Amino acid sequence: MTLKFHWFLPTNGDSRDVVGGGHGSPATVSGRDRPPTVAYLSQIARAAEDLGFVGALTPTGAWCEDAWLTTAMVSQNTERLKFLVAFRPGFVSPTLAAQMASTFQRQSGGRLLLNVVTGGESQEQRAYGDFLDKDDRYRRTGEFLQVVRGLWEGQTVDLVGEHLQVEGARLARVPDPVPEVYFGGSSPIAGKIAARHADVYLTWGEPPTAVAGKIARIRGLAEKEGRSVRFGIRLHVITRDTSEQAWAEARRLLDGFDPETVRAVQAGLARSESEGQRRMLALHGGGSDGLEIHPNLWAGIGLVRGGAGTALVGSHDEVAERIAEYHRLGIDEFVLSGYPHLEEAYWFGEGVLPRLRTQGLWQHPFDAGATPSAQVPFAGAAPAR
């Protein structure tokens, strides 16, 4: 299978330093360096499109711009790039969400992917009016996806569930194609919901042995449901012409972390209810020593950022080797990011992707006859604001 690569739209702001935020922690002031305007995000999206990324993940939460609205606007400035829109099922009815997805598919030319985020932080959920506990939120997500899937298949759906109820729900027009559902979660109940409903199970960037264990568990649960699931991984990336240059950049980012900010972020993340976040924190323990937790896998990002906290760091050849290592475990999709997102897209797209193409692991979408969008200059020029 040809590997798929997705990039990231920093709707919480971008910078040459790490922009923190997520899982209950606010975006750091570095996010103001490059505000997440439609113009700047479109620059990133067009660069990713031309470089050969399939899609771009857009996050969800109080710390960033709304993903649905932002991607709808950015999609009008791109031609091929898909948008992996993160959304939380508890904040909108399943019938409306299914209708929104159907509209997005028609207006974008079928370029919507959905990243279902159940929500790991009760404090943030309550701010949106959601007072269910974590396990109940996952059970509600299962009911939500049951309704949405049925509507996308053209069914008339009636459901009296534990948390959701719909009667005579039906779409006037079903989406074509049906959006693929991406789903993550490390807790036992998250695995069960993923096995029943996900097309792609996403994990954060843990060391290969831990990732292999997750893949085996989710694959087994899916088989019990009579289904098969693909697997993806969410990572940051720092890739350069030499290993020394890449690690120098990682050290520069680390040196820019304010100790008080690190302590505050770590204290906040320690209260997280997310099993995935707990696993991320265990990789670095809140300290700056021993951050290379596997060859070329660096846990430094997680000192100031919630959620995905690890980065592939190394020369283009070394990063390509690590990607191939994860692929041998069963990972077929990579959701990547880097600071700043415009420049790092080029470092990866021009440095690593050609090496993977030579190895037969990746094919540029343009090779299949797609037409590239207008070329975007590398970021020596000032970014659009």
Side-chain angles (χ1 to χ4, degrees), residues 274-290:
S274 166
E275 175 64 15
Q277 184 63 70
R278 184 194 66 77
R279 292 168 71 112
M280 282 284 105
L281 294 180
L283 296 178
H284 55 68
S288 58
D289 297 326

Side-chain angles (χ1 to χ4, degrees), residues 265-313:
V265 170
Q266 292 303 299
L269 294 178
R271 297 190 291 270
S272 173
E273 300 170 354
S274 166
E275 175 64 15
Q277 184 63 70
R278 184 194 66 77
R279 292 168 71 112
M280 282 284 105
L281 294 180
L283 296 178
H284 55 68
S288 58
D289 297 326
L291 291 175
E292 189 178 7
I293 56 176
H294 181 77
N296 306 111
L297 184 62
W298 184 61
I301 302 291
L303 292 174
V304 294
R305 185 191 192 278
T310 54
L312 295 178
V313 181

Side-chain angles (χ1 to χ4, degrees), residues 212-229:
K214 275 189 175 181
I215 289 174
R217 181 170 68 89
I218 300 299
R219 183 173 283 150
L221 290 171
E223 288 175 353
K224 291 179 181 179
E225 298 287 339
R227 304 182 69 246
S228 62
V229 178

Side-chain angles (χ1 to χ4, degrees), residues 25-346:
S25 60
T28 51
V29 294
S30 55
R32 302 171 190 165
D33 294 348
R34 297 186 188 179
T37 63
V38 171
Y40 178 59
L41 296 174
S42 295
Q43 256 191 301
I44 297 172
R46 290 195 301 269
E49 183 171 75
D50 288 334
L51 289 164
F53 291 93
V54 170
L57 172 65
T58 308
T60 184
W63 54 288
C64 58
E65 299 290 346
D66 178 75
W68 283 105
L69 292 173
T70 302
T71 55
M73 288 184 277
V74 173
S75 71
Q76 302 306 295
N77 297 320
T78 56
E79 297 176 2
R80 176 192 54 81
L81 192 73
K82 296 182 180 182
F83 294 91
L84 182 49
V85 176
F87 79 106
R88 299 186 185 184
F91 298 166
V92 63
S93 81
T95 307
L96 179 58
Q99 182 183 19
M100 291 166 64
S102 184
T103 298
F104 198 115
Q105 286 297 67
R106 285 192 296 277
Q107 301 297 344
S108 70
R111 292 190 285 143
L112 176 66
L113 306 169
L114 287 180
N115 179 29
V116 177
V117 180
T118 296
E121 314 306 331
S122 290
Q123 181 178 358
E124 186 177 16
Q125 295 292 125
R126 288 195 294 269
Y128 284 92
D130 180 14
F131 289 84
L132 294 181
D133 64 24
K134 178 183 173 181
D135 282 359
D136 278 333
R137 289 198 295 269
Y138 273 106
R139 282 188 280 269
R140 179 182 60 195
T141 295
E143 294 177 2
F144 183 97
L145 290 174
Q146 180 182 340
V147 173
V148 168
R149 291 283 198 187
L151 291 171
W152 285 346
E153 292 171 3
Q155 300 175 12
T156 298
V157 179
D158 296 293
L159 175 70
V160 179
E162 182 181 0
H163 300 288
L164 297 175
Q165 182 174 350
V166 298
E167 181 178 325
R170 187 174 181 84
L171 293 182
R173 298 175 65 184
V174 298
D176 183 20
V178 170
E180 290 192 305
V181 172
Y182 290 65
F183 192 96
S186 297
S187 64
I189 191 169
K192 293 178 181 178
I193 301 302
R196 292 173 190 159
H197 298 288
D199 297 301
V200 180
Y201 176 83
L202 286 177
T203 178
W204 286 332
E206 299 180 27
T209 51
V211 171
K214 275 189 175 181
I215 289 174
R217 181 170 68 89
I218 300 299
R219 183 173 283 150
L221 290 171
E223 288 175 353
K224 291 179 181 179
E225 298 287 339
R227 304 182 69 246
S228 62
V229 178
R230 305 197 313 277
F231 294 93
I233 192 167
R234 172 78 179 93
L235 288 156
H236 305 278
V237 64
I238 305 171
T239 180
R240 295 293 186 271
D241 295 334
T242 68
S243 182
E244 293 76 15
Q245 291 170 341
W247 284 108
E249 177 62 11
R251 287 190 296 272
R252 185 193 70 80
L253 292 174
L254 184 63
D255 289 344
F257 295 171
D258 174 63
E260 284 300 320
T261 298
V262 172
R263 281 192 285 271
V265 170
Q266 292 303 299
L269 294 178
R271 297 190 291 270
S272 173
E273 300 170 354
S274 166
E275 175 64 15
Q277 184 63 70
R278 184 194 66 77
R279 292 168 71 112
M280 282 284 105
L281 294 180
L283 296 178
H284 55 68
S288 58
D289 297 326
L291 291 175
E292 189 178 7
I293 56 176
H294 181 77
N296 306 111
L297 184 62
W298 184 61
I301 302 291
L303 292 174
V304 294
R305 185 191 192 278
T310 54
L312 295 178
V313 181
S315 68
H316 304 314
D317 286 323
E318 289 171 335
V319 171
E321 288 173 9
R322 294 289 77 77
I323 287 172
E325 181 179 10
Y326 280 113
H327 176 52
R328 287 192 292 271
L329 300 177
I331 298 292
D332 295 318
E333 301 198 23
F334 293 79
V335 183
L336 306 175
S337 57
Y339 299 96
H341 289 75
L342 183 60
E343 288 91 324
E344 289 299 333
Y346 278 100

